[in-house]
Amino acid sequence: MATTRTAHTVWEGNLLEGNGVVTFDSSGIGQQPVSWPSRAEQANGKTSPEELIAAAHSSCFSMALSHGLAGAGTPPTRLETKADVTFQPGEGITGIHLTVRGEVPGLDADGFASAAEDAKKNCPVSQALAGTTITLTAELV
C-alpha cells in the first residue's frame, strides 16, 4: 500500500532577505524556520533543504541497511549514519557522503562494507537522488 507524506513551506520576501517556515504536516512534529543564509552560509538555528535531505537520506539508508543485514542473518545491534549534503550556490547539490558505523555481531568488515554499498544503491532516497554523486564510508565497530 502506497503512502504519501506531506510538508509545506510558507515563504515571505525575496530569496536573499526573506525567510520561511517548513511545517511537517504528516507527522505533526512541528515547524522549522528556513532562510537563504541558513542554506548558503551558517545555519544559525534554522534548517535548509539540504539538511532535510540529509535527515531523509540517513534514516532511509539506516533502514535499508538494517533490513539487508537482518535478511542475511546478521541483524545489527546498532547503526549510526551521518549524511553530509554539500550545496554550492549557483551549482546546487554537488554530492552526498554517507558515513555509517555499525555494531553487527557475526559480520566482518568486508561483509559490512558490502551490505552498506547495497543499501546505498537500493534505499529509496538514494534512488530518488540518483542524479547526485553519493559516496560512502562504512566502519564496523
Side-chain angles (χ1 to χ4, degrees):
M1 181 160 140
T3 60
T4 300
R5 299 293 182 254
T6 305
H8 77 274
T9 299
V10 175
W11 185 268
E12 296 177 347
N14 66 32
L15 174 63
L16 298 179
E17 296 166 3
N19 59 72
V21 175
V22 178
T23 302
F24 298 92
D25 299 316
S26 299
S27 64
I29 61 172
Q31 301 177 324
Q32 291 296 317
V34 63
S35 69
W36 176 256
S38 71
R39 184 177 197 182
E41 299 166 17
Q42 296 298 316
N44 293 322
K46 297 179 181 179
T47 194
S48 68
E50 290 72 29
E51 184 178 38
L52 297 171
I53 289 170
H57 205 177
S58 66
S59 59
C60 183
F61 172 85
S62 294
M63 290 179 196
L65 180 53
S66 176
H67 181 67
L69 289 167
T74 53
T77 303
R78 177 181 165 87
L79 298 172
E80 182 178 333
T81 304
K82 179 174 84 164
D84 295 306
V85 178
T86 303
F87 173 73
Q88 178 64 46
E91 291 181 45
I93 294 173
T94 58
I96 299 170
H97 185 75
L98 298 170
T99 304
V100 61
R101 293 174 44 98
E103 296 173 18
V104 187
L107 190 65
D108 65 15
D110 288 340
F112 184 67
S114 177
E117 282 292 337
D118 187 63
K120 180 189 82 157
K121 182 176 99 175
N122 292 308
C123 94
V125 172
S126 288
Q127 291 175 348
L129 300 170
T132 302
T133 300
I134 302 170
T135 56
L136 172 68
T137 300
E139 178 186 353
L140 194 59
V141 294

